[in-house]
Amino acid sequence: QVQLVESGGGLVQAGGSLRLSCAASGLIFVNSAMGWFRQALGKERESVAVISRRGGSTDYADSVKGRFTISRDNAKNTVFLQMNSLKPEDTAVYYCAAGKIATMSEYDYNYWGQGTQVTVSS
């Protein structure tokens, strides 16, 4: 049974930082591309950042480029999202997902975590 468990969300002031983690189990992590997605209240889910199986390739949404960094530790079956210079518009539930290829399309991801809330106050 595949499980993806996010952690690290919370309340932070604008300009602050948070580091999200996603621990994976039940799958061959090194064979999985990983992605972070988010969904704000009343809005559709959107891609944030993705990383290839061995971490050699990443991609980001334009809205987070230069502020967010995705990384992974294949020895620990964990993917991270370092979020700096946070803005109120980054407020959302953040989900990690696992798939076969690292694309920015949520439809390419088979497994999803439950999500972690990130709230950025102005």
Side-chain angles (χ1 to χ4, degrees):
Q1 181 181 355
V2 176
Q3 280 194 315
L4 302 176
V5 180
E6 302 97 336
S7 61
L11 174 64
V12 63
Q13 288 188 333
S17 298
L18 283 174
R19 189 191 195 205
L20 304 184
S21 299
C22 173
S25 61
L27 51 70
I28 304 175
F29 189 72
V30 72
N31 287 348
S32 299
M34 300 298 296
W36 285 98
F37 297 78
R38 67 186 182 187
Q39 187 168 20
L41 196 62
K43 295 187 177 181
E44 293 187 352
R45 188 161 57 190
E46 62 177 0
S47 56
V48 176
V50 300
I51 188 166
S52 59
R53 299 172 184 182
R54 298 188 187 278
S57 177
T58 59
D59 199 4
Y60 296 90
D62 288 343
S63 60
V64 307
K65 280 181 181 176
R67 300 188 298 123
F68 291 11
T69 302
I70 188 171
S71 61
R72 64 191 293 162
D73 185 339
N74 284 349
K76 296 183 178 179
N77 287 8
T78 302
V79 62
F80 305 98
L81 186 67
Q82 178 67 43
M83 306 186 295
N84 298 329
S85 302
L86 283 161
K87 305 175 181 180
E89 51 263 45
D90 294 317
T91 295
V93 177
Y94 283 71
Y95 300 90
C96 74
K100 293 185 178 181
I101 55 173
T103 77
M104 296 293 275
S105 171
E106 63 179 281
Y107 300 106
D108 288 323
Y109 293 82
N110 308 103
Y111 303 105
W112 293 81
Q114 294 293 323
T116 185
Q117 176 71 46
V118 171
T119 303
V120 185
S121 63
S122 57

